[in-house]
Amino acid sequence: MAFELPDLPYDKSALEPHMSAQTLEFHHGKHHNTYVNNLNNLTKDTPMADQDLVTVFKAAYGDSSKVGVFNNAAQVWNHTFFWNGMKPNGGGKPEGELLSKIEADFGDFHKFMEEFRNTAVTQFGSGWGWLVLDGGTLKCVKTPNAENPIVHGQTPLLTVDVWEHAYYLDYQNRRRDFVQTFLDHLVNWDFVAQNLKNA
């Protein structure tokens, strides 16, 4: 059973003007697809070919002989999670239990926004900014390259991709503007709330 590139949960132009169809064409159609193809090549004729992505990257994490498997499996998962964490006319402020939990753990929603943005912006080089549930508490964390919070026992609720290819076509080197726009206009809070409920 080969790993497959999942469809985007919206049309390529649906996130404009905040994320262009051109960015999604390259990011999803080329980068994400390459990780899928690499993973299939690396796991072909092995037991991993029939396992789910989380099982694969957890098993490969920390194994020097499986660095390529980890990187590609985690990147396939991370990107799929990233696409689902956005929606047209997203952003703003969540409601209900999610907002209450954010306010309880960060002090207020504005402090969360500030911490999430700063966490993502200060990730040196390529990587990801995350909102995670860690031991029952919401936290903002960053990971380098393909690394995923699941390998550290945390539950991802939201992520923003801060690899340069995620934003360069639309924002050039302005990572901070990209992350702020992500928070203001793109976050799918329904997805985040569902992840919290399922945690």
Side-chain angles (χ1 to χ4, degrees):
M1 183 184 80
F3 296 99
E4 295 181 353
L5 178 69
D7 292 332
L8 288 169
Y10 31 71
D11 186 77
K12 281 191 179 78
S13 60
L15 303 182
E16 290 185 335
H18 312 296
M19 187 177 287
S20 67
Q22 186 186 27
T23 286
L24 282 170
E25 200 168 302
F26 276 95
H27 197 175
H28 175 260
K30 301 268 194 294
H31 289 279
H32 195 174
N33 196 41
T34 297
Y35 296 128
V36 173
N37 291 335
N38 288 344
L39 182 60
N40 282 323
N41 291 333
L42 288 164
T43 57
K44 191 178 178 187
D45 301 325
T46 75
M48 283 181 162
D50 296 315
Q51 295 171 345
D52 65 272
L53 285 168
V54 174
T55 301
V56 170
F57 73 67
K58 281 174 79 174
Y61 182 67
D63 184 338
S64 58
S65 70
K66 292 188 171 67
V67 172
V69 172
F70 173 79
N71 285 339
N72 286 282
Q75 284 291 77
V76 172
W77 192 96
N78 293 352
H79 279 85
T80 303
F81 194 76
F82 176 52
W83 307 136
N84 283 290
M86 296 185 288
K87 69 175 184 178
N89 304 309
K93 200 171 185 176
E95 300 173 344
E97 286 180 28
L98 175 59
L99 179 59
S100 299
K101 181 68 173 159
I102 287 173
E103 290 174 340
D105 290 351
F106 290 95
D108 61 44
F109 184 70
H110 177 74
K111 284 181 184 168
F112 154 73
M113 291 273 281
E114 202 170 68
E115 188 170 332
F116 184 91
R117 184 187 64 226
N118 291 341
T119 299
V121 170
T122 58
Q123 166 54 37
F124 183 76
S126 300
W128 301 82
W130 304 84
L131 173 65
V132 301
L133 190 66
D134 184 1
T137 303
L138 295 180
K139 294 179 181 175
C140 293
V141 299
K142 52 191 169 187
T143 60
N145 302 314
E147 201 168 298
N148 181 295
I150 291 172
V151 301
H152 303 296
Q154 299 166 326
T155 302
L157 304 181
L158 175 70
T159 194
V160 62
D161 187 345
V162 291
W163 283 63
E164 207 168 57
H165 64 240
Y167 57 89
Y168 198 83
L169 290 175
D170 297 327
Y171 298 88
Q172 283 75 54
N173 63 339
R174 302 191 314 276
R175 181 188 285 187
R176 185 183 182 88
D177 291 353
F178 165 64
V179 175
Q180 191 64 55
T181 300
F182 171 81
L183 288 167
D184 291 342
H185 302 287
L186 294 172
V187 174
N188 180 352
W189 288 117
D190 296 332
F191 175 73
V192 181
Q194 192 59 52
N195 290 332
L196 179 62
K197 192 176 177 184
N198 294 344

